[in-house]
């Protein structure tokens, strides 16, 4: 399968713990996006990378959130000191540079208890 | 905020054409109309996009009005697998996507 993959698919954590998610984009896709989706809502943009450079961050991305794409390939999204409000589906998408289509992964569902 | 308005839900009989409307009255000249759909528990899936002209691919057709203030996504022969939330989005070609709440399409057997 050559689509976008995300790991883990599900994560349950206790409030206050740190979590890290991984996204592997489609090979040779320059752009990588992170979105968050809560129940009944459309996905919300968090941040995106062009190669290894983080070019835009949403105001939704508080200082507890950090994203990296160290070698311009896979990306990680870390949430420190998780809160119950962080419970959501975290989606990753990738696209070729200046391409029109974003290809989404299956998402990581985070539950904070 | 999303720049589009869609009905929250629609029903369509299996085998019939599903016509999903979208209003985007404030669309700018360089913004495209995109459609994505999201099947339950999956990531969004790109369907089609267009600028001015009507477009067709293997999944659907996109009809854009001449003034570009509204559009319609047409699924020509809906099947149960087309049950999903459909998002109409306007954006510059390679910009981030701003999703609204979309239209929940129910295909009835």
């Amino acid at each position: 399968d050559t689509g976008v993959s995300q790991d883990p698919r599900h994560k349950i954590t206790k409030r206050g713990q740190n979590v890290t998610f991984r996204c592997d984009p489609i090979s040779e896709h320059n752009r990588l996006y992170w979105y968050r989706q809560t129940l009944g809502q459309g996905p919300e943009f968090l941040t995106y990378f062009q190669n290894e450079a983080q070019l835009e961050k949403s105001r939704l991305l508080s200082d507890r959130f950090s994203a990296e794409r160290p070698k311009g390939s896979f990306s990680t999204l870390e949430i420190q000191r998780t809160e119950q409000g962080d419970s959501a589906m975290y989606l990753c998408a990738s696209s070729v540079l200046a391409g029109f289509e974003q290809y989404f992964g299956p998402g990581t569902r985070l539950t904070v208890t | 905020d999303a720049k589009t308005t869609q009905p929250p839900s629609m029903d369509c009989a299996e085998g019939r054409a599903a016509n999903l409307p979208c209003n985007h009255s404030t669309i700018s000249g360089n913004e495209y109309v995109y459609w994505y759909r999201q099947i339950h528990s999956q990531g969004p899936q790109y369907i089609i996009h267009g600028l001015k002209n009507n477009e067709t691919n293997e999944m659907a057709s996109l009809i854009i009005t001449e003034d570009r203030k509204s559009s319609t996504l047409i699924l020509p022969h809906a099947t149960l697998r087309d049950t999903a939330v459909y998002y109409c989005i306007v954006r510059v070609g390679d910009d981030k996507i701003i999703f609204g709440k979309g239209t929940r399409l129910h295909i009835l057997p």
Side-chain angles (χ1 to χ4, degrees):
Chain A
D1 189 296
T2 58
V4 178
S5 61
Q6 294 187 244
D7 184 70
R9 295 291 308 277
H10 304 273
K11 178 70 176 179
I12 300 174
T13 191
K14 293 184 178 180
R15 188 176 54 187
Q17 298 294 305
N18 299 343
V19 294
T20 300
F21 310 140
R22 176 178 171 128
C23 171
D24 286 89
I26 294 172
S27 178
E28 298 181 355
H29 275 194
N30 307 96
R31 293 204 172 178
L32 187 148
Y33 302 79
W34 285 99
Y35 295 83
R36 180 176 70 184
Q37 185 173 26
T38 54
L39 200 61
Q41 304 296 316
E44 298 172 291
F45 168 77
L46 292 178
T47 187
Y48 90 91
F49 294 83
Q50 182 169 306
N51 299 313
E52 64 275 10
Q54 189 173 17
L55 295 187
E56 186 174 351
K57 293 193 291 186
S58 163
R59 57 183 171 79
L60 294 175
L61 214 64
S62 75
D63 56 6
R64 295 186 297 106
F65 288 71
S66 62
E68 294 183 343
R69 194 182 183 197
K71 297 182 179 179
S73 57
F74 73 92
S75 175
T76 58
L77 178 68
E78 181 183 16
I79 309 174
Q80 296 182 326
R81 305 181 303 280
T82 53
E83 302 172 355
Q84 287 189 319
D86 297 330
S87 295
M89 175 78 83
Y90 290 84
L91 294 160
C92 175
S94 70
S95 70
V96 298
L97 184 64
F100 293 103
E101 303 170 32
Q102 290 184 17
Y103 295 86
F104 284 79
T108 294
R109 181 167 296 283
L110 173 67
T111 302
V112 181
T113 62
Chain B
D1 291 340
K3 301 179 182 180
T4 62
T5 303
Q6 299 178 253
S9 67
M10 292 182 62
D11 293 338
C12 179
E14 189 176 18
R16 304 297 295 269
N19 295 275
L20 291 90
C22 179
N23 288 323
H24 31 80
S25 58
T26 61
I27 191 169
S28 301
N30 64 342
E31 288 181 314
Y32 290 75
V33 179
Y34 286 77
W35 285 83
Y36 280 76
R37 73 179 182 184
Q38 188 171 23
I39 296 169
H40 183 60
S41 297
Q42 297 183 21
Q45 176 190 22
Y46 166 83
I47 301 173
I48 199 168
H49 76 275
L51 183 63
K52 295 181 182 179
N53 300 322
N54 299 336
E55 303 287 344
T56 296
N57 62 21
E58 65 278 4
M59 290 183 68
S61 295
L62 173 60
I63 309 298
I64 303 174
T65 57
E66 190 169 347
D67 63 8
R68 303 212 319 129
K69 292 186 177 182
S70 65
S71 61
T72 301
L73 179 75
I74 301 172
L75 308 178
H77 304 287
T79 71
L80 295 176
R81 289 176 293 179
D82 293 321
T83 293
V85 177
Y86 287 77
Y87 297 100
C88 171
I89 296 146
V90 295
R91 63 191 271 251
V92 176
D94 58 358
D95 199 1
K96 61 185 178 292
I97 299 174
I98 299 177
F99 290 88
K101 292 191 176 182
T103 295
R104 187 171 296 277
L105 177 65
H106 300 275
I107 305 301
L108 307 176

